[in-house]
Amino acid sequence: VSGVNAHRWNDDDILFADLAEALGDVAPLAARVAAHAHGALAWRTVDSDLVLASLSFDSLLERSGNTRDGEGDDRVLVFHAAPLAVEVEVQTDRIVGQIVPPSEGEITLETVDGTRVQVDADDLGFFILPRPAASAARMRCETLTTRLVTDWFQL
Amino acid sequence: MADDELPITSLVMAAAQGNEAAWSEIVERYSPLLVSVLRQCQLTPVEIDDVAQTVWLRLVEHLTKLREARALPMWIITTGRREAWRHAAIGRRYQLRDPEAGDWAHGPADQADPDEELLRAERQHALLAGLAELGRRDRQLLLLLMDDPPMRYAEISRRTGIPVGGIGPTRARALDKLRRSPAIRAVLASESDCPEPMAQAEG
C-alpha cells in the first residue's frame, strides 16, 4: 500500500481501505490513550466563580528550537485571566512565581498524580513552590479579589 | 432517528455537565485522531501517553468554551501539535531524551519526502476526524468491518442489529457520510485544485 490517496476517495473500497489503514496505524496506542483518559473528567472545575487562566506565554515556544539554553535561562510561563496573571519560572528543583499585578495571595500547585502543595504569595505577589515530579500540573491562585485556576501544563 | 444525528454536539454538552459516559465516548472517538497527530510529531509511545494526558486534561476545562462542537477536531489537532512541540522542547532542554533508547513511533528514516509525508498525515487526520463524527451505528459498523481478522457478516449483524443483507448498503451509506464530513470535504477540495504530487497511481 503506497499510502492514502484522497483523489480516489470517490471509490468506496479505496476510501474504506484508506480508513482501515489510518485506524490500524494508531489503534493499539489510541485504545491505551483513551483508557487513560476516562478519569480525566474528574478534574473538571465545577466552581463557577473560578476563572480559568490560560497559558498565554511559554518561553519554550518562543525561542528557536536548537539553542542550547544556558543557566539563568529558565522556562517562563504566563497564565492570564484578566485582570490577573500568574507568571512562573520553572527551575531545576523549584518553581518561582509572581502574581501580577503584585498582590498577596495563596497558591496551590496540584499535579495529575494527586499531590497538592499550598504556599503563600507575599505582598509583592512572589511565591516559591517545589518542583513536582509529575508530568503535568496546574495552579490555583486565590487573592482578595480573584480566584483562578490555570491551564494544565507539562513539566 | 437518534442514530443518524451528529452526536458530537450533544456529547460535548453532556460532558461539560459532568456526564462521564459522554466524556468516555468523546475520548474513544477522538483518541485515534490525537494519536495520529502526536505520532506525526515523532513522539515515542510513552511520550504520546504523557502528552495525550495533558491534551485531555486541557479539554476538560475547555469543553464549555468550545462554542461549536465542530471546532473539536481542529482544537485537538492544534493543541496536540503545540503540546507535542512543548514536550520535545522540554526534552531537549533537560536532555531527558535518550536517542539510543529507540522506540520511535516514526523514525526520521521512514520520511521519504516531507511534503508527501505531510499530505499523507493530513489525509489520515481527515479520515479519522470524519470517522469520529459519524453516527453511532455507522461508526460501529465501519469499525466492525475493519476488524482484523475479518468478522463474519452474521456476527456483525448480531452485534449491530443490521440484517446481513443490509450490511452492504449500510456500509455504502456510512462511507458516503464519511465522504461528506467537513474534514474530508476540506481535503478533497484542497487537492482537486492541484495534481497528485508524486507518482501517478496506476489504474
Side-chain angles (χ1 to χ4, degrees), chain A residues 119-133:
Chain A
V119 297
D120 290 330
D122 66 19
D123 50 0
L124 291 174
F126 287 112
F127 60 89
I128 298 176
L129 290 157
R131 182 178 166 145

Side-chain angles (χ1 to χ4, degrees), chain A residues 94-125:
Chain A
R94 60 183 195 167
I95 295 173
V96 179
Q98 188 183 17
I99 302 169
V100 181
S103 147
E104 261 183 280
E106 210 171 76
I107 300 280
T108 308
L109 180 83
E110 59 187 18
T111 69
V112 73
D113 301 345
T115 64
R116 284 169 80 95
V117 180
Q118 196 178 74
V119 297
D120 290 330
D122 66 19
D123 50 0
L124 291 174

Side-chain angles (χ1 to χ4, degrees), chain A residues 47-84:
Chain A
D47 181 347
S48 59
D49 294 337
L50 203 58
V51 185
L52 178 65
S54 24
L55 179 52
S56 56
F57 175 86
D58 183 344
S59 60
L60 277 184
L61 300 185
E62 304 297 322
R63 299 196 189 96
S64 72
N66 47 17
T67 48
R68 177 68 64 196
D69 302 326
E71 273 176 74
D73 201 10
D74 291 301
R75 179 182 179 202
V76 175
L77 300 169
V78 179
F79 299 91
H80 208 90
L84 219 64

Side-chain angles (χ1 to χ4, degrees), chain B residues 135-179:
Chain B
R136 292 205 172 91
R137 205 165 78 141
D138 291 332
R139 182 168 167 275
Q140 186 196 13
L141 176 66
L142 292 183
L143 289 176
L144 291 176
L145 286 168
M146 281 186 270
D147 223 29
D148 188 23
M151 189 178 285
R152 289 175 31 231
Y153 271 28
E155 175 62 15
I156 292 177
S157 172
R158 197 185 63 75
R159 293 205 195 182
T160 58
I162 303 170
V164 169
I167 290 177
T170 310
R171 170 187 184 265
R173 277 197 298 275
L175 287 173
D176 204 47
K177 285 180 201 155
L178 181 69
R179 202 177 280 125

Side-chain angles (χ1 to χ4, degrees), chain A residues 12 15 22 24 27 35 37 44 54-55 58 78 80 87 92-93 97 106 122 132 136 141-142 150:
Chain A
D12 272 5
L15 179 61
R44 185 176 68 106
S54 24
L55 179 52
D58 183 344
V78 179
H80 208 90
E87 301 182 5
T92 318
D93 54 357
E106 210 171 76
D122 66 19
C141 169
E142 199 168 332
T150 69

Side-chain angles (χ1 to χ4, degrees), chain A residues 4 6 9 12-13 25 32 37-38 43-45 58 61 65 68-69 73-75 138 152 154, chain B residues 16 23-24 28 39 49 58 61-62 83 85-87 90 92-93 123 146 171 179 188 191:
Chain A
V4 183
W9 283 349
D12 272 5
D13 289 334
D25 272 359
R32 195 168 82 191
H38 287 319
W43 289 104
R44 185 176 68 106
T45 308
D58 183 344
L61 300 185
R68 177 68 64 196
D69 302 326
D73 201 10
D74 291 301
R75 179 182 179 202
R138 68 176 172 183
W152 286 95
Q154 299 184 68
Chain B
W23 170 253
S24 290
E28 294 283 345
R39 268 179 56 139
D49 243 4
R58 281 274 176 86
E61 298 297 11
H62 280 264
E83 290 306 310
W85 168 233
R86 247 190 261 276
H87 184 90
I90 293 170
R92 269 199 300 280
R93 191 178 178 80
R123 289 168 177 168
M146 281 186 270
R171 170 187 184 265
R179 202 177 280 125
L188 290 173
E191 291 186 20

